[in-house]
Amino acid sequence: MTIIVYDLEMTVRRKKGQIAEIIEIGAVKVGLVDEAPQIISTFQSFVRPVVVPQLTADTTAFTGIKQDDVNAAGTLAQVVRHFIEWIGPEEYFLCAWGPDDQRQFVQECRQNQISTDWIVNHNNLQKMLSKIYKLEKHQQMGLKPALEMLEIPFEGSHHRALDDAMNTAQILVKLYDKLQFKHNKISDEAKVESEVVYKTDHYENLPFASLANLLPKE
């Protein structure tokens, strides 16, 4: 079983009507080695924004991503193609911390006429952790507090895609025996068409408020 833990960084929106665009994708591939989950590969790429090509000072301050980084990067379509090639042909589960990254991927892929067929078996690790520790629905724990609760040291820079994906993957590895991964896919209406549970044995940035209705609430 292959699990892809990913994180996105987007341009920061400050005003209503501004568009958030993906400017970095970071991901970690987790596989079973001698029946134990281990990080076996990583992916990182900047993405060149096209709607608003110039990064704002807020975006650079928040993410640390500079204009030169995205100027030299490929478009979302090019980077997604490389990302899918890196994921590989085997069945996989996608995992992210919270629902926002999936929503952003779906919206931008559709806006840019990029297939969303690869966005399958998507799991919200934040929600999975909440179920394990029986947290109330409104208690959506941030990544850093979750790491602190599990006594996992945060490494790298917060709000950089690969670092956040790596830290999220450390949570997955630690909780692996308690996690249930779901099979699902996105239809043209962004609804989950099927869902099967696979049980294993063993500064607030809110750029997506306007996307809250893109996917159905679970």
Side-chain angles (χ1 to χ4, degrees):
M1 182 173 65
T2 299
I3 303 171
I4 306 298
V5 182
Y6 75 93
D7 182 79
L8 305 178
E9 295 304 325
M10 278 73 63
T11 52
V12 175
R13 298 189 317 167
R14 293 299 185 195
K15 297 178 182 178
K16 186 176 181 180
Q18 288 181 329
I19 294 175
E21 293 181 82
I22 297 169
I23 54 174
E24 186 182 25
I25 301 173
V28 174
K29 186 178 293 184
V30 177
L32 295 180
V33 179
D34 296 328
E35 299 187 354
Q38 291 187 23
I39 294 171
I40 57 177
S41 182
T42 62
F43 175 93
Q44 186 277 334
S45 180
F46 295 112
V47 180
R48 186 171 75 247
V50 294
V51 178
V52 183
Q54 188 69 31
L55 300 184
T56 65
D58 282 339
T59 294
T60 296
F62 186 74
T63 64
I65 297 172
K66 300 175 181 178
Q67 190 66 45
D68 288 346
D69 295 327
V70 296
N71 284 348
T75 63
L76 182 63
Q78 293 169 327
V79 175
V80 165
R81 184 174 67 250
H82 295 319
F83 184 43
I84 294 171
E85 290 172 354
W86 171 79
I87 290 173
E90 296 182 2
E91 182 184 40
Y92 57 87
F93 292 87
L94 289 170
C95 286
W97 191 261
D100 289 335
D101 285 354
Q102 182 190 21
R103 291 170 179 161
Q104 187 73 15
F105 250 150
V106 170
Q107 172 169 310
E108 283 202 53
C109 283
R110 288 178 174 169
Q111 287 175 340
N112 291 280
Q113 298 182 328
I114 302 167
S115 172
T116 58
D117 291 348
W118 61 276
I119 306 178
V120 296
N121 305 331
H122 199 286
N123 289 259
N124 178 348
L125 191 58
Q126 180 191 60
K127 185 175 180 179
M128 296 164 81
L129 178 142
S130 296
K131 286 185 177 179
I132 291 171
Y133 290 97
K134 296 180 171 56
L135 301 179
E136 297 295 331
K137 288 186 178 181
H138 66 276
Q139 289 182 280
Q140 295 187 349
M141 186 174 291
L143 179 58
K144 278 192 171 181
L147 289 164
E148 292 171 1
M149 182 183 74
L150 296 172
E151 298 181 340
I152 300 173
F154 182 91
E155 296 185 2
S157 300
H158 199 25
H159 301 304
R160 285 304 304 272
L162 181 55
D163 290 343
D164 281 349
M166 185 72 74
N167 285 292
T168 303
Q170 297 292 356
I171 292 175
L172 183 144
V173 168
K174 184 158 187 175
L175 297 180
Y176 181 79
D177 291 345
K178 301 177 181 179
L179 297 175
Q180 293 183 343
F181 298 96
K182 296 178 180 179
H183 288 85
N184 51 56
K185 60 181 180 178
I186 300 171
S187 72
D188 289 338
E189 294 75 32
K191 294 179 180 178
V192 174
E193 293 183 335
S194 63
E195 186 172 282
V196 180
V197 175
Y198 174 90
K199 191 178 189 316
T200 63
D201 295 323
H202 316 208
Y203 167 41
E204 187 173 283
N205 180 24
L206 298 174
F208 312 108
S210 65
L211 308 181
N213 297 319
L214 181 62
L215 292 178
K217 295 181 179 179
E218 296 181 316

